[in-house]
Amino acid sequence: MKKALKLISASALALAALLPATAAQAATSYSSDTNKPDVVSLLGEYNNWWTPKSNTSNASSDVYRGNVSDAGKSVLSKNDTLTETINNKAATDTATVDGTHTQAQRALIDADQNATETFSDALGPILSKFLTDGLSNGSLPKTSSLLFASKASVTSYLSTGAAKQYFNYPRPFFTVAEDGQNRSMNGENNLNGLKAELGIDRIADWTDSSTGLTHSASYASMFGAPSQAFPSGHTTYAYSAGIGLATLLPELGPEIVTRASEAGNNRIVLGVHYPLDVMGGRINGEAANTARWSDEAFRSDQLLPARQELVDYMTAQCKAAGYGDTLQSCIDKTGANGSAGYTNTFTDAVSTTPVTDRASAIAAYTSRMTYGFDKTGTSGKAAVVPDGAENLLLTAFPSLSDAQRRTILAQSEIESGYPFDSSSNGYERLNLAKAYSAKVTLSADKQDILSITFGNSQPSVVVSSTDAITGLLADFGTYWKAGVGVTEAGKSVLSHDDDLTVSINNKAAKESANGSNDQQARAVVDAEMNSEKTLHDALGTVIGGYYEDGVTSGKLPKTSAYLSDMSASASTGKAKTAFSHPRPYVDRINYNGTTLNLNGLQQTLGISKVAAYEQQGQYDGLASSGSFPSGHTTFAFTQGAGLASILPEFGTQIMTRVSEAGNNRIVLGVHYPLDIMGGHIAGQYGVATALDDQDTQAEASAAREELLAYLTARCKADGYGDTLEACISGTDAKTSKGYQNAFTDAVSTKAVSDTASEISAYTARMTYGFSQTGKAGQSAVVPAAAVNLLRKVPGYSSLNDKQLTQVLASTEIDSGYPLDASSEGWGRINLAAAYSAKVTLNTKGDVVKVTTGQTKASVETQSDAPQGPKNPTAASNGGAKTSTPSGNAQKVSGQSGDPLATTGADSAVFIAAAALLLLSGAVVTLLVRRHQR
């Protein structure tokens, strides 16, 4: 850690000296001692609400005087009301909020401006004791001189005296009875309708029996000194100390700064300050620490050494106490970042929930950033991060760049427009409690932030890794850059993606509403990812019923186990993270803590949510999960390709049914067509490559044997024949009582009623009507593993791998559609067509013709048929595709137009890898293919 921090410290002067907004010196000459933030300027919006009387010397005739403006009447009225409410509640509450002290007693302790007292519980009981022991026994001299000594260089850095004198606002507790004056100063102040005296309950002095110390709110001295209300000096001190400690111990940053916010709030509890005073104090503390951390010399000489001292000391204490060998393990084991950390039970009109864990701590901190004020400025403005504020995250995220740390602050900040936003240069919006809980996911090259999530148990950075599926789908990276947005090349592609999503989703919603179909209901069922409820439809009314009974009754254990293994053959988790593309129904610009550029596409699409799915909470649950590729579709295709591989007699029907399941993700409005196409590729890739393994092949054979025996026995018992083929015919399983539905949309324009229409629907969903983004008419590309999916087709039992490859080549779709460039051929494989072909061989065993759309796959040999031409043609005959592929070897180099010019047995993945590397910007000179599981 010391080496890493030293490198960061010396890496760039610009990082070291990004100045507070008030500093104008060059980075190399900036000194925080001679260039302090201008507090009056940062809090200047206060002048919109209160016009102070000129007060150059705090003369009795000038002090506490000014007028409430018309614009400030509502703001300062809210200020008063909150002060009374918070003070009155705490003054009468005798409950202990930390097991020992009442809220008022804690407020009196905090009034001492002793950081050791204030932060003695911020780290939880165990780590807080380690800290206080280290400070008292001299083990932490560097930490103490920065934050805890009487003249500490961070906590005593920024004074509010000049600002108090300038703004000149009277304290809330002033009354004639107690002080000889109220807030009107004998009527000299125009309070514009505000009360001259507030109903403040003064908190009596209290002596702590455990320490013998007497703690006082010092009301009398504040009036006589004089000492104005705005901004709060005690709060400035508390936040200077709290943020300073958080920069030294960012692992517990959320808890520490929330404890600082309580100390600020306690000034209102005592009735000596207003919420606006406390908000101003927070801004001051942020600016103070930013100045110190932006001072290269101060950071190198004092801050980073103190960080190292504190980490080393706390780690040693933790290790000696048996809490692990690292600070983070100690924090986790002691629960200091959770329910056993900083907690308290008090609530008020602003912080309405007790602090019981990290999430509630962040909530309390956030609520005190605005104190429930109405906005005084414009909402929805772009993020503003103060210059140099990124340095507050140096120790939390040492591996990130300045720009990346600024992005964390930008994405964690609150909305614009609240009091002080217009003058604070972004400090009003900084939510450090949230920022210190960020988990940042970077692209593989570490250049781009893919996502930021908040509320995590520690600040962390993870780098997205790639896998085989991410590589196969890398073409998506030419349309969409994760963490950035829509590329110029992808604008038209993703516009079509959006339009189709809305069209398919809205049409299904309209027709479901008027009762013309139940597509939404089927979509909700498919979303359960239960293949028992999905796949049986594909086998027809009778045989499908047999299958469903067999699976649910446990009579097909080998089949179920095989399909379970196939579902594990393809995972989309890494790909989703790598691409980080927002769902159709969410705010697509502000996504997972990252602001994206949609390049003219709509921020939110007009998605009709399905009520049943929404009632399940699915939309909320999926909102932060990337859309591409579709995990549900991947699952459907692993199940479909898996079942088709052992029951290829229904291969066309099964694959079309799972393509419907994929399409139903669009019906629900949770995915786009490209997501479905990606899931299609991933699912069939997973099953095919899994079947390269001999044990998996044996498992498939056993599952097929079991399934055939079971279905045949059921068919025989019901009088449908002694074979599955006879049963299919006798039950009309591929015609009038087979898989069919009447759903149509802009892509699948005809109802599914027979084999030809099944192939038509399946094929349409392979491209979803996209224009070709690559070159059309390229030679066929067949992945080597793809033949595994056809090996158990009874009609193809006489074909060898070369011939099966020719069947796949002859039935594949054209090249150039989205995702084709990286998919290694998986994007072109048309299994619905391949399972339904009549294959014609010549006497040499070459495939000379493939006619699709058959109800039964078959092979015939034409003894007198001439060998097909080198350049095949394909013709459509009523839904049947006829191809005459070359009879040459599996790979024929240098022959233009040969359908097998590139096959999976020999193909390099250089196209796929090159597309993948567009995501990382890397340059490759040599690529070697290898199968990945």
Side-chain angles (χ1 to χ4, degrees):
M1 178 63 75
K2 182 179 291 184
K3 181 178 180 182
L5 292 173
K6 183 177 181 182
L7 287 173
I8 291 167
S9 175
S11 63
L13 291 177
L15 177 144
L18 282 169
L19 310 183
T22 55
Q25 282 75 8
T28 53
S29 63
Y30 174 69
S31 166
S32 58
D33 287 325
T34 57
N35 295 278
K36 293 187 177 182
D38 184 343
V39 173
V40 171
S41 176
L42 289 174
L43 305 180
E45 192 179 336
Y46 200 79
N47 287 311
N48 295 346
W49 316 315
W50 167 258
T51 304
K53 181 179 181 180
S54 178
N55 178 35
T56 57
S57 59
N58 265 341
S60 60
S61 59
D62 297 329
V63 73
Y64 305 131
R65 286 165 172 82
N67 300 311
V68 176
S69 70
D70 289 340
K73 186 175 180 180
S74 63
V75 177
L76 297 180
S77 175
K78 171 81 170 180
N79 211 27
D80 289 352
T81 300
L82 275 176
T83 303
E84 289 178 318
T85 301
I86 293 173
N87 162 261
N88 293 171
K89 180 179 185 297
T92 58
D93 191 350
T94 59
T96 59
V97 298
D98 58 3
T100 304
H101 306 105
T102 66
Q103 188 180 7
Q105 289 168 345
R106 284 173 68 90
L108 289 169
I109 292 172
D110 287 347
D112 291 343
Q113 285 191 289
N114 182 329
T116 304
E117 289 180 340
T118 294
F119 294 99
S120 63
D121 63 343
L123 315 183
I126 296 172
L127 271 69
S128 289
K129 188 174 189 306
F130 292 161
L131 175 63
T132 54
D133 286 350
L135 292 170
S136 63
N137 65 27
S139 297
L140 296 169
K142 297 173 183 177
T143 305
S144 180
S145 68
L146 279 175
L147 305 175
F148 296 96
S150 60
K151 298 291 184 180
S153 53
V154 171
T155 51
S156 300
Y157 169 68
L158 202 58
S159 171
T160 58
K164 283 177 176 288
Q165 186 171 326
Y166 170 80
F167 290 111
N168 208 19
Y169 199 74
R171 297 272 183 169
F173 62 85
F174 287 178
T175 65
V176 172
E178 294 285 348
D179 308 297
Q181 293 282 10
N182 57 32
R183 299 193 307 166
S184 73
M185 304 307 290
N186 289 329
E188 292 182 44
N189 295 343
N190 177 9
L191 298 184
N192 208 349
L194 270 61
K195 292 187 293 186
E197 294 187 3
L198 300 182
I200 296 299
D201 290 327
R202 300 195 184 196
I203 307 298
D205 294 355
W206 166 69
T207 300
D208 188 345
S209 59
S210 65
T211 64
L213 297 175
T214 298
H215 305 277
S216 173
S218 305
Y219 297 101
S221 65
M222 291 180 212
F223 182 83
S227 175
Q228 293 88 343
F230 182 82
S232 167
H234 279 71
T235 303
T236 298
Y237 172 88
Y239 272 100
S240 294
I243 296 170
L245 181 58
T247 63
L248 302 188
L249 203 62
E251 295 84 353
L252 290 174
E255 289 73 25
I256 294 169
V257 297
T258 304
R259 179 62 183 92
S261 78
E262 182 200 342
N265 192 74
N266 279 341
R267 303 304 290 163
I268 311 172
V269 167
L270 296 176
V272 297
H273 277 291
Y274 309 85
L276 288 175
D277 307 347
V278 174
M279 291 166 64
R282 173 175 60 83
I283 290 169
N284 294 340
E286 293 167 343
N289 277 277
T290 297
R292 285 309 205 184
W293 275 96
S294 296
D295 183 334
E296 164 71 16
F298 189 85
R299 184 169 75 244
S300 298
D301 296 343
Q302 297 191 50
L303 291 167
L304 292 176
R307 155 73 173 167
Q308 194 65 59
E309 172 191 79
L310 184 57
V311 170
D312 290 345
Y313 167 79
M314 297 292 280
T315 302
Q317 297 301 305
C318 288
K319 187 175 181 179
Y323 293 117
D325 295 340
T326 66
L327 178 58
Q328 189 60 53
S329 66
C330 183
I331 289 170
D332 293 338
K333 287 183 178 180
T334 61
N337 54 357
S339 58
Y342 163 64
T343 61
N344 64 56
T345 62
F346 77 83
T347 61
D348 54 39
V350 175
S351 180
T352 58
T353 304
V355 174
T356 57
D357 55 16
R358 173 160 287 189
S360 54
I362 294 172
Y365 184 91
T366 305
S367 68
R368 294 177 190 140
M369 290 181 68
T370 66
Y371 272 92
F373 280 95
D374 292 333
K375 293 180 182 179
T376 55
T378 305
S379 60
K381 296 173 69 174
V384 175
V385 177
D387 290 344
E390 64 274 11
N391 295 319
L392 299 176
L393 302 185
L394 268 171
T395 54
F397 305 99
S399 65
L400 297 185
S401 68
D402 285 353
Q404 289 167 335
R405 283 188 285 269
R406 290 180 69 83
T407 298
I408 296 173
L409 292 173
Q411 298 304 327
S412 57
E413 72 177 29
I414 63 171
E415 194 177 3
S416 65
Y418 287 103
F420 304 118
D421 182 39
S422 66
S423 60
S424 71
N425 295 325
Y427 282 115
E428 163 55 19
R429 302 191 208 172
L430 283 188
N431 190 334
L432 292 177
K434 193 173 178 181
Y436 281 124
S437 70
K439 177 181 178 181
V440 182
T441 301
L442 298 178
S443 57
D445 62 1
K446 302 181 183 179
Q447 298 303 303
D448 299 312
I449 292 178
L450 303 183
S451 67
I452 306 174
T453 60
F454 299 103
N456 300 285
S457 62
Q458 64 184 95
S460 62
V461 177
V462 296
V463 179
S464 175
S465 59
T466 58
D467 61 352
I469 289 175
T470 306
L472 291 173
L473 304 180
D475 206 21
F476 192 77
T478 63
Y479 322 133
W480 172 265
K481 187 169 178 59
V484 179
V486 179
T487 67
E488 281 300 312
K491 190 173 181 180
S492 63
V493 177
L494 297 183
S495 177
H496 180 74
D497 211 24
D498 287 355
D499 291 345
L500 270 183
T501 301
V502 174
S503 173
I504 293 171
N505 165 264
N506 288 182
K507 182 176 186 295
K510 181 178 180 180
E511 293 184 353
S512 292
N514 64 28
S516 61
N517 69 35
D518 61 349
Q519 190 175 13
Q520 285 190 336
R522 282 174 69 91
V524 173
V525 170
D526 286 350
E528 295 178 23
M529 290 177 58
N530 183 340
S531 58
E532 296 171 12
K533 297 182 178 181
T534 300
L535 295 179
H536 72 86
D537 289 346
L539 311 185
T541 305
V542 177
I543 300 177
Y546 296 158
Y547 175 80
E548 186 177 19
D549 288 346
V551 173
T552 55
S553 66
K555 294 179 180 178
L556 293 171
K558 295 178 182 179
T559 301
S560 295
Y562 173 66
L563 292 181
S564 177
D565 287 344
M566 291 306 97
S567 72
S569 67
S571 172
T572 59
K574 289 184 177 180
K576 281 181 177 288
T577 299
F579 295 112
S580 293
H581 187 257
R583 302 267 179 175
Y585 61 91
V586 304
D587 178 348
R588 304 191 303 170
I589 289 179
N590 302 298
Y591 174 64
N592 277 0
T594 304
T595 301
L596 301 170
N597 176 14
L598 296 188
N599 208 353
L601 272 61
Q602 296 179 49
Q603 182 169 1
T604 305
L605 299 183
I607 295 300
S608 294
K609 292 182 178 179
V610 177
Y613 205 53
E614 189 167 24
Q615 289 168 5
Q616 296 173 8
Q618 296 291 346
Y619 291 100
D620 290 340
L622 295 171
S624 62
S625 169
S627 77
F628 182 86
S630 166
H632 279 73
T633 303
T634 300
F635 171 84
F637 272 86
T638 60
Q639 296 297 281
L643 184 59
S645 71
I646 61 172
L647 195 64
E649 292 88 347
F650 285 100
T652 298
Q653 292 73 31
I654 292 169
M655 297 312 299
T656 307
R657 177 62 182 92
V658 295
S659 79
E660 180 202 340
N663 192 74
N664 278 341
R665 301 302 289 165
I666 310 173
V667 168
L668 293 173
V670 296
H671 279 291
Y672 311 82
L674 282 175
D675 304 347
I676 310 310
M677 291 163 64
H680 179 156
I681 291 168
Q684 62 185 14
Y685 161 84
V687 174
T689 52
L691 285 168
D692 272 340
D693 178 72
Q694 289 186 352
D695 290 341
T696 305
Q697 293 170 14
E699 183 185 18
S701 295
R704 173 167 171 77
E705 182 178 353
E706 172 192 76
L707 184 56
L708 275 179
Y710 174 80
L711 293 178
T712 302
R714 291 292 302 269
C715 288
K716 185 176 181 179
D718 289 343
Y720 292 118
D722 295 343
T723 65
L724 181 59
E725 181 181 348
C727 190
I728 290 172
S729 176
T731 59
D732 298 317
K734 293 188 179 181
T735 54
S736 61
K737 295 182 181 178
Y739 164 62
Q740 52 189 277
N741 65 57
F743 311 142
T744 61
D745 52 43
V747 175
S748 179
T749 58
K750 294 182 179 180
V752 171
S753 58
D754 56 17
T755 301
S757 56
E758 288 159 358
I759 295 173
S760 177
Y762 184 89
T763 305
R765 293 176 188 142
M766 290 183 68
T767 68
Y768 272 93
F770 282 94
S771 299
Q772 283 161 294
T773 55
K775 185 179 179 182
Q778 296 183 70
S779 298
V781 176
V782 179
V787 298
N788 293 331
L789 301 174
L790 301 185
R791 291 191 192 281
K792 297 190 182 302
V793 178
Y796 298 160
S797 59
S798 63
L799 300 181
N800 58 32
D801 282 2
K802 170 186 168 182
Q803 293 164 331
L804 290 174
T805 300
Q806 290 176 319
V807 173
L808 290 167
S810 297
T811 54
E812 72 174 31
I813 63 171
D814 195 12
S815 64
Y817 287 101
L819 308 183
D820 176 44
S822 57
S823 74
E824 297 185 36
W826 290 109
R828 301 188 205 172
I829 297 295
N830 189 334
L831 289 177
Y835 279 123
S836 66
K838 180 172 72 174
V839 181
T840 302
L841 306 177
N842 63 16
T843 54
K844 295 180 180 180
D846 300 318
V847 175
V848 294
K849 187 167 63 173
V850 176
T851 307
T852 63
Q854 312 299 308
T855 58
K856 177 183 176 183
S858 62
V859 176
E860 67 175 15
T861 301
Q862 294 181 348
S863 59
D864 57 348
Q867 183 171 326
K870 295 288 185 183
N871 297 315
T873 61
S876 177
N877 300 310
K881 177 179 178 182
T882 302
S883 299
T884 53
S886 167
N888 293 307
Q890 185 170 330
K891 178 180 180 182
V892 183
S893 300
Q895 291 189 359
S896 176
D898 193 305
L900 302 179
T902 308
T903 63
D906 303 300
S907 65
V909 353
F910 113 100
I911 294 175
L916 172 60
L917 291 169
L918 287 173
L919 295 173
S920 63
V923 177
V924 167
T925 57
L926 178 65
L927 294 159
V928 180
R929 176 179 186 175
R930 69 174 185 172
H931 285 295
Q932 297 183 44
R933 285 276 178 62

